[in-house]
């Protein structure tokens, strides 16, 4: 099932919707889904970040740049995204939390790399030295990280989430500099940006279409998904 709805004016709700989809797929109360949407200006912190002494100051820094701080489902460290970016999330069932983790990472990385390369983007897989929210399954173009992939696994289901930074302007680097300073995390600010900083970036709609299954028609997010999201929303609000 393809879902295209997003809530860019309510980033915390967007995260809660993803959480609700994960839990309902795990319960087998809804089918597996692929959600592709355009987010609002967000700094997504991990739970690890939320325990850092500088977390309150990091949230203030995010807000001062016009970004909403949220607590995300995956691990790692803070990531920023917003207009000019795309979120692609696959929620699938599984039989064991101990199986399939690396296979899902490899599949998501390959699919995203193929889609972007097919649209002319010169991307490659692998982490950049000193990148923010470092991960072995990042995608980069030259010296700039243009996509990050994370997972959240619960009993019965897994959510694999990719953040694709296409044409976000200078805002991503600016907010991350202040956020990471508050968190006291060493990194290389030159790794932050988006594809348009180093190469022509394809349109958001073109990337969304390339990531969607052939012939898939978008369905609306179900009312029960939204009701569950409303219950989960406080967990994602700092």
């Amino acid at each position: 099932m393809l879902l295209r709805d997003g809530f860019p004016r309510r980033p915390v709700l967007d995260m809660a919707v993803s959480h609700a989809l994960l839990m309902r797929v795990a319960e087998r109360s809804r089918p597996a889904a692929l959600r592709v949407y355009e987010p609002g200006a967000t700094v997504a912190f991990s739970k690890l970040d939320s325990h850092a002494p500088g977390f309150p100051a990091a949230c203030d820094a995010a807000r001062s740049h016009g970004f909403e701080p949220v607590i995300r489902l995956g691990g790692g460290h803070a990531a920023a995204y917003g207009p000019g970016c795309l979120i692609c999330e696959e929620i699938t069932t599984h039989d064991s939390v101990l199986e399939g983790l690396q296979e899902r990472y490899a599949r998501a990385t390959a699919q995203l790399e193929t889609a972007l390369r097919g649209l002319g983007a010169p991307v490659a897989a692998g982490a950049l030295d000193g990148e923010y929210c470092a991960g072995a399954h990042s995608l980069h173009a030259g010296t700039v990280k243009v996509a990050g992939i994370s997972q959240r696994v619960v009993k019965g289901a897994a959510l694999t989430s990719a953040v694709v930074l296409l044409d976000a302007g200078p805002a991503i680097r600016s907010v991350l500099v202040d956020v990471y300073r508050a968190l006291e995390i060493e990194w290389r600010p030159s790794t932050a940006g988006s594809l348009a900083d180093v190469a022509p970036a394809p349109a958001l709609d073109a990337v969304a279409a390339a990531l969607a299954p052939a012939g898939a028609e978008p369905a609306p997010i179900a009312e029960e998904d939204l009701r569950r999201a409303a219950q989960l929303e406080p967990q994602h609000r700092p």
Side-chain angles (χ1 to χ4, degrees):
M1 178 180 289
L2 176 63
L3 306 173
R4 291 284 281 119
D5 291 339
F7 304 89
R9 295 184 179 181
R10 298 179 62 186
V12 177
L13 176 60
D14 255 333
M15 193 64 67
V17 166
S18 298
H19 195 173
L21 294 171
L22 174 64
M23 300 310 297
R24 296 197 66 228
V25 169
E27 296 162 358
R28 306 300 193 267
S29 59
R30 65 152 296 122
L34 177 70
R35 185 179 180 216
V36 183
Y37 68 96
E38 299 172 28
T42 307
V43 174
F45 293 93
S46 67
K47 287 190 176 180
L48 177 63
D49 291 327
S50 73
H51 296 298
F55 180 62
C59 290
D60 288 343
R63 294 186 185 101
S64 73
H65 285 267
F67 285 70
E68 182 72 18
V70 307
I71 304 298
R72 70 165 178 263
L73 291 161
H77 286 296
Y81 50 83
C85 302
L86 199 68
I87 309 292
C88 179
E89 297 181 327
E90 185 178 24
I91 304 98
T92 55
T93 59
H94 65 72
D95 296 321
S96 170
V97 296
L98 302 178
E99 297 177 357
L101 184 75
Q102 294 305 319
E103 290 81 357
R104 287 188 295 271
Y105 270 126
R107 183 174 66 250
T109 303
Q111 289 174 342
L112 184 53
E113 184 176 8
T114 298
L116 290 172
R117 281 183 169 272
L119 293 168
V123 299
L128 291 171
D129 182 42
E131 72 177 20
Y132 68 95
C133 192
H137 301 279
S138 301
L139 293 180
H140 62 271
T143 60
V144 174
K145 179 173 180 173
V146 298
I149 299 174
S150 63
Q151 286 193 60
R152 173 68 181 271
V153 182
V154 298
K155 183 179 180 180
L159 180 146
T160 307
S161 180
V163 178
V164 190
L165 301 105
L166 295 168
D167 190 1
I172 299 298
R173 182 176 298 167
S174 296
V175 67
L176 286 177
V177 165
D178 289 347
V179 164
Y180 273 67
R181 182 185 297 118
L183 293 174
E184 298 184 352
I185 297 173
E186 294 293 327
W187 70 301
R188 289 174 56 221
S190 61
T191 65
S194 56
L195 180 60
D197 294 336
V198 293
L204 290 171
D205 286 347
V207 177
L211 292 171
E217 291 294 330
I221 296 175
E223 288 299 322
E224 184 54 40
D225 295 327
L226 294 174
R227 281 193 289 270
R228 179 68 72 86
Q231 297 170 356
L232 294 168
E233 194 171 353
Q235 296 185 28
H236 300 284
R237 186 179 297 114

